[in-house]
Amino acid sequence: MKRFALAATCAVVCALGVPVTVHAQRGGRGGGPPATPRLAAPIDLTGYWVSVVTEDWKYRMVTPNKGELGALPLNPEGQRIAKTWDPAKDEAAGEQCRAYGAPAIMRIPGRLHVTWQDDSTLKIETDAGTQTRLLRFAGAAPTEDPSWQGNSSAQWNVPGRSLKVVTNNLRPGYVRKNGAPYSNRTVVTEYFDLNTMPNGDQWMTVTTKVEDPVYFARPFMTSSDFKKLPTAAAWNPTPCSAK
């Protein structure tokens, strides 16, 4: 009987021309404006994170020797350039941040601070090299000049509940700190995923593909892990180092 009473009530309301307001859910249909990327986020990446080095320890925790290029897909020209590495020359030229660009920064051990700069821009600050990455969603204006962090275009990959980021417009730099090069034609594609452990710890995994038609024979794939920190107590910004 309740079902029939409800149907009758709706019929009367419609017949009288009484407006009915439908509140749209976040990301759903409705008469209001679409949700901003910040409000539509399927995962929360904000907070302080520390890198957990579980692979390539000898290439990440210390600066490898010149010519130590294991696991890198450098072509012959890339290998030749890498063997000319001179950190003193980089320092003299003010190029000590060449290993801290977007293709390599997530592999450098350190801490991240992730915040929303505005409703369409996610900001990642690193204490290693004091770098700032701006991940811009649709509608956010990119920069014009090439830079270490380039232009990063972001979008939510909702079915997989992850963030996809594509970066270009980069200054040439190093994909490994010992001079292994990438060119200004490099494109970086990243996926940011979150996982919660049984004890409640949150982990972020960044899967990175670096493609460079100038110095790479094939894409360079890595996976970097970060653990969420409860506070900013260990946050320690340090400048870039060429060595």
Side-chain angles (χ1 to χ4, degrees):
M1 293 299 292
K2 291 183 178 180
R3 182 183 301 172
F4 292 114
L6 179 59
T9 301
C10 290
V12 172
V13 171
C14 293
L16 294 175
V18 177
V20 179
T21 301
V22 178
H23 295 282
Q25 298 295 319
R26 185 174 70 176
R29 297 179 180 178
T36 64
R38 182 176 184 174
L39 290 177
I43 53 176
D44 181 13
L45 298 171
T46 61
Y48 287 90
W49 303 83
V50 62
S51 58
V52 180
V53 180
T54 57
E55 62 176 12
D56 291 341
W57 195 96
K58 67 177 182 178
Y59 299 133
R60 297 173 62 188
M61 296 302 294
V62 297
T63 302
N65 294 327
K66 181 191 292 189
E68 194 168 343
L69 307 174
L72 292 177
L74 295 176
N75 60 24
E77 180 61 10
Q79 295 177 34
R80 185 191 70 79
I81 294 294
K83 292 174 183 177
T84 66
W85 175 57
D86 184 346
K89 184 177 179 180
D90 286 341
E91 287 182 344
E95 297 272 300
Q96 58 268 33
C97 288
R98 288 178 70 89
Y100 295 80
I105 189 63
M106 306 305 279
R107 301 292 284 170
I108 295 180
R111 291 169 174 79
L112 309 177
H113 183 208
V114 184
T115 57
W116 284 95
Q117 176 169 279
D118 55 50
D119 285 344
S120 297
T121 309
L122 197 62
K123 179 167 69 172
I124 300 178
E125 297 170 279
T126 73
D127 66 351
T130 60
Q131 298 296 301
T132 299
R133 301 187 64 189
L134 298 178
L135 315 184
R136 298 178 172 90
F137 290 78
T143 57
E144 295 181 359
D145 296 330
S147 64
W148 297 128
Q149 304 310 324
N151 290 342
S152 293
S153 175
Q155 66 181 68
W156 293 118
N157 187 31
V158 177
R161 294 181 60 80
S162 65
L163 174 68
K164 179 182 179 181
V165 179
V166 178
T167 302
N168 55 20
N169 198 30
L170 292 158
R171 290 177 63 178
Y174 302 146
V175 74
R176 184 175 289 169
K177 204 169 182 181
N178 66 341
Y182 64 82
S183 76
N184 62 352
R185 295 174 59 189
T186 295
V187 176
V188 182
T189 303
E190 298 165 289
Y191 289 90
F192 293 69
D193 294 279
L194 289 186
N195 290 287
T196 302
M197 299 295 104
N199 65 354
D201 288 347
Q202 276 199 308
W203 287 68
M204 177 171 65
T205 299
V206 183
T207 304
T208 304
K209 177 172 69 172
V210 182
E211 298 175 280
D212 181 5
V214 178
Y215 296 131
F216 288 9
R218 62 183 183 279
F220 179 41
M221 303 288 298
T222 59
S223 180
S224 306
D225 293 317
F226 300 84
K227 182 180 178 181
K228 194 166 191 178
L229 298 171
T231 69
W235 182 251
N236 182 32
T238 54
C240 298
S241 170
K243 299 178 182 178

